[in-house]
Amino acid sequence: MPKNSKVVKRELDDDVTESVKDLLSNEDSADDAFKTSELIVDSPEEKDTDVEEGSEVEDERPAWNSKLQYILAQVGFSVGLGNVWRFPYLCQKNGGGAYLLPYLILLMVIGIPLFFLELSVGQRIRRGSIGVWNYISPKLGGIGFASCVVCYFVALYYNVIIGWSLFYFSQSFQQPLPWDQCPLVKNASHTFVEPECEQSSATTYYWYREALNISSSISESGGLNWKMTICLLAAWVMVCLAMIKGIQSSGKIIYFSSLFPYVVLICFLIRAFLLNGSVDGIRHMFTPKLEIMLEPKVWREAATQVFFALGLGFGGVIAFSSYNKRDNNCHFDAVLVSFINFFTSVLATLVVFAVLGFKANVINEKCITQNSEMIMKFLQMGNISQDIIPHHINLSAVTAEDYHLVYDIIQKVKEEEFPALHLNSCQIEEELNKAVQGTGLAFIAFTEAMTHFPASPFWSVMFFLMLVNLGLGSMFGTIEGIVTPIVDTFKVRKEILTVICCLLAFCIGLIFVQRSGNYFVTMFDDYSATLPLLIVVILENIAVCFVYGIDKFMEDLKDMLGFAPSRYYYYMWKYISPLMLLSLLIASVVNMGLSPPGYNAWIEDKASEEFLSYPTWGLVVCVSLVVFAILPVPVVFIVRRFNLIDDSSGNLASVTYKRGRVLKEPVNLEGDDTSLIHGKISSEMPSPNFGKNIYRKQSGSPTLDTAPNGRYGIGYLMADIMPDMPESDL
């Protein structure tokens, strides 16, 4: 700007307390780097304050007490129940140790880059998911709302699992454990074992009949299960009290909830190694089956597990990182948390299969004892000749090796008659090949194994307390992903919103504590998150790389981190990750289409599970879950594309000032060419010590630029509040 140019005075709104002349009085005319036609106001003291939109009240944004607290929060959110009961199942099912290779490859291609992306945008813009994606592109602002909806759907049923764990925890202070033996039923004449339990097992019976008191189908409600209703209430009270003040309250609990599971896992691993058969379980687990690794289904399931293990798309990652300092090295955080998550999964897999190996060994010994007794009966009856049995083998105290030798001999000699003998091979591998996951692993297989532990109540208490803590850590991130964006956007009190959110979730969650509630948990788990979250993360990737601009984003990261991130991330974000995510979405849709929508129902008369299809209303609910979760994306796009709502009166559409402070954020960011951190950082800028610093914006730039000391690192244009002033007058 030439030195002799004049500034036209004009009256501003009521919120503007200083004239343009006052603001321009300190202009540095010698700085040629800011030849522009628009002005940005900033106060140096605003660097670490947070300004409420639509209010004159300015609050400091909460911050983590330490880097350790933040890392534990992210670890607690990403490391959840899936690491304990989903990853070991996938590892066993998809090639054992060979499964780790595709998992690691996809962690590098999908997991770490997208986790780094979410950490970066949250830390830089310092807003929840709604505010972040509104800033990146208002038309894609529905991404943030969709994240909140998915978070709420997941929170509804995830806390039910914590309630189940609380129930088992409360029942573990007994010797023997209540699921150790089948109950006896007495009638007038005699006492007998409960038939439903006798046909299944003690732990299976306890889970389905004592804990859930499950109905035979999803259509048969059966009324509320009051034991589980009280446990669900307790779970929501715990979450509400921990989250009522956001990270200021949950941050103190995180130290215990995030670290305690590792203590338990290590204790279980040490204890399991001292038990017979644990090595067999681990050997079985990590024996690679390379031929399975080449199947496309293995890679699809590995990609899905990577995706959900890190909590991508939920908004919790963005919410937690928004409380960081802007110069925090979020790249280090992304790599660290991702690999902690991976090694936690491997540790949990070691524990699970060491324990299941011990359980398989116990069951195998019983099998050998029972079948040896059958062979002795056949010898006495003359069905099998004594001559074929080796003389050194004593069937009354036979080892596993000797039994297998006798079994093979009988099978060869009695080749035609052998099926009629109904002898079992009693191979420990057969028991280990019975893959279990989810509730079947935690509440049936693992609980059965613990009944054989010395001091079993102690280990049961530790195990279910670990599950509660794993669940709570994930719930903290999930609720933060709901509350933080809403508080940032609508400026409601966090305490009130948290209480309302938890109370409403408990009321809706009553459908999960009916006798048919377990079937609704399965429905929500299958349909409420998978497809919507994939779509959300794909749109996040597109918004940053193709709407905002990958080159500008890389520059922003360089300014924020103090170093240029590897070009590896550039190619991952721009080319590889979008293609991989689209492939995963297509594969998931195809798999969902080929798999009949249904659930495994417990049939009391048969004492076994049976696959049933959802009724018509159930199919409607399944479709509705997917549609409602993703509906905010097109709705917000249409509203903002066609200006269906007038934003002139307030919220995010207007920009006003008071004493140089930003009170409203603009949303008219369409066609934004500007970086999040376009200018130099304040330490690099030659700036006189004036009361207010003035920054100019390059002519031709769109509606936003960056003031070096700005609260969000985002510039705000005086032209937005002076629409009638000609550009030349500035």
Side-chain angles (χ1 to χ4, degrees), residues 19 22 75 108 208 219 222 235 254 343 366 500 509 580 585 672:
S19 66
D22 295 331
V75 168
M108 300 296 294
Y208 284 116
S219 300
I254 281 168
F343 288 118
K366 290 181 179 179
I500 293 174
M580 293 290 290
L585 177 63
D672 185 13

Side-chain angles (χ1 to χ4, degrees), residues 100-110 299 568:
L100 300 179
L101 181 60
Y103 186 89
L104 269 175
I105 292 173
L106 291 166
L107 182 66
M108 300 296 294
V109 173
I110 294 179
W299 290 80
Y568 169 82

Side-chain angles (χ1 to χ4, degrees), residues 215-348:
S215 62
S216 297
S217 73
I218 195 171
S219 300
E220 182 185 336
S221 168
L224 288 177
N225 180 338
W226 289 105
K227 291 181 290 188
M228 288 305 173
T229 303
I230 294 171
C231 290
L232 178 63
L233 177 61
W236 275 115
V237 169
M238 291 168 63
V239 171
C240 184
L241 293 177
M243 296 300 301
I244 197 162
K245 291 187 178 297
I247 64 169
Q248 294 173 334
S249 54
S250 65
K252 298 177 178 64
I253 303 171
I254 281 168
Y255 288 104
F256 179 76
S257 65
S258 297
L259 293 175
F260 180 75
Y262 290 96
V263 175
V264 176
L265 285 173
I266 292 171
C267 289
F268 261 100
L269 185 62
I270 294 172
R271 184 67 189 91
F273 270 130
L274 300 176
L275 298 171
N276 292 331
S278 59
V279 177
D280 295 326
I282 293 174
R283 185 189 302 117
H284 176 82
M285 182 66 258
F286 288 103
T287 301
K289 305 176 184 68
L290 298 177
E291 67 282 358
I292 298 179
M293 191 182 72
L294 301 177
E295 297 178 6
K297 183 181 72 170
V298 173
W299 290 80
R300 177 181 62 81
E301 292 188 341
T304 305
Q305 178 63 16
V306 166
F307 186 85
F308 289 106
L310 294 175
L312 299 174
F314 280 97
V317 173
I318 294 175
F320 278 153
S321 66
S322 72
Y323 299 112
N324 268 333
K325 295 179 180 179
R326 284 193 196 83
D327 59 353
N328 175 62
N329 188 349
C330 54
H331 173 256
F332 172 79
D333 300 342
V335 175
L336 177 65
V337 173
S338 298
F339 278 100
I340 288 176
N341 187 294
F342 171 69
F343 288 118
T344 303
S345 298
V346 174
L347 174 63

Side-chain angles (χ1 to χ4, degrees), residues 138-142 631-645:
K139 290 180 181 176
L140 293 177
L631 191 61
V633 175
V635 168
V636 172
F637 180 85
I638 293 170
V639 166
R640 288 179 174 165
R641 174 67 180 82
F642 298 103
N643 296 319
L644 299 181
I645 296 179

